[in-house]
Amino acid sequence: MANFSIKARLKSIKDALTGISHLIRGEHNAWIHLVATTLVISLGAYFSVSPMEWIALVLAISIVWLAEGLNTAIEVLADAVSTEQNALIAQAKDVAAGAVLLTAFGAAVIGALVFYPYF
C-alpha cells in the first residue's frame, strides 16, 4: 500500500469532479436531476423546512445522484466492452436504468411528503 499523500488525495478529488462534470454534461437525465435538485433545495429554503426534513431531502437527492452516476458508469463500461448487440449487456443497462427510475420515484414520494404540508 502506498503512503498517504496530499497530492494523491487532491488528484483523486480532481478526478471525481471530472466524473461529475462528465455526468452532468453528457447525460440528459442528469440535467433533469439537476433541475429537480435545484427546485427541491430552493423550495426547502423558501419554506424553511425542518432539519429532519432537510435530512430526508438530502438523502433522497443523494441516492438519485448515486443511482444516476452508477447507471452512467455501467453504460460507459458496457459500451467499452462491446458495441455489438448483447442481450446480457442490454439487460444490465435496463436494470441500472430501472434502479434510477425507482430511486427517482422514491425521491418524489419523499418530496411530496415533505412539501405537502407547506402547500
Side-chain angles (χ1 to χ4, degrees):
M1 176 188 269
N3 290 333
F4 178 83
S5 161
I6 296 291
K7 184 177 179 180
R9 293 309 95 219
L10 292 175
K11 183 185 179 317
S12 178
I13 291 169
K14 180 181 178 277
D15 293 342
L17 292 172
T18 298
I20 293 169
S21 175
H22 286 300
L23 177 64
I24 292 172
R25 287 185 300 116
E27 295 298 318
H28 294 156
N29 286 339
W31 300 351
I32 295 168
H33 299 311
L34 185 59
V35 169
T37 297
T38 303
L39 178 63
V40 167
I41 291 170
S42 297
L43 285 172
Y46 178 78
F47 290 123
S48 297
V49 298
S50 73
M52 289 306 293
E53 290 169 327
W54 272 120
I55 289 169
L57 294 172
V58 169
L59 278 172
I61 290 168
S62 298
I63 291 168
V64 171
W65 280 106
L66 169 67
E68 186 63 48
L70 291 175
N71 178 53
T72 299
I74 288 168
E75 288 180 356
V76 169
L77 282 172
D79 291 345
V81 169
S82 175
T83 56
E84 296 176 17
Q85 290 287 79
N86 180 305
L88 292 176
I89 288 176
Q91 183 179 358
K93 287 180 172 185
D94 289 347
V95 169
V100 176
L101 184 61
L102 288 171
T103 61
F105 179 74
V109 170
I110 290 169
L113 291 170
V114 168
F115 291 119
Y116 177 77
Y118 296 98
F119 289 100

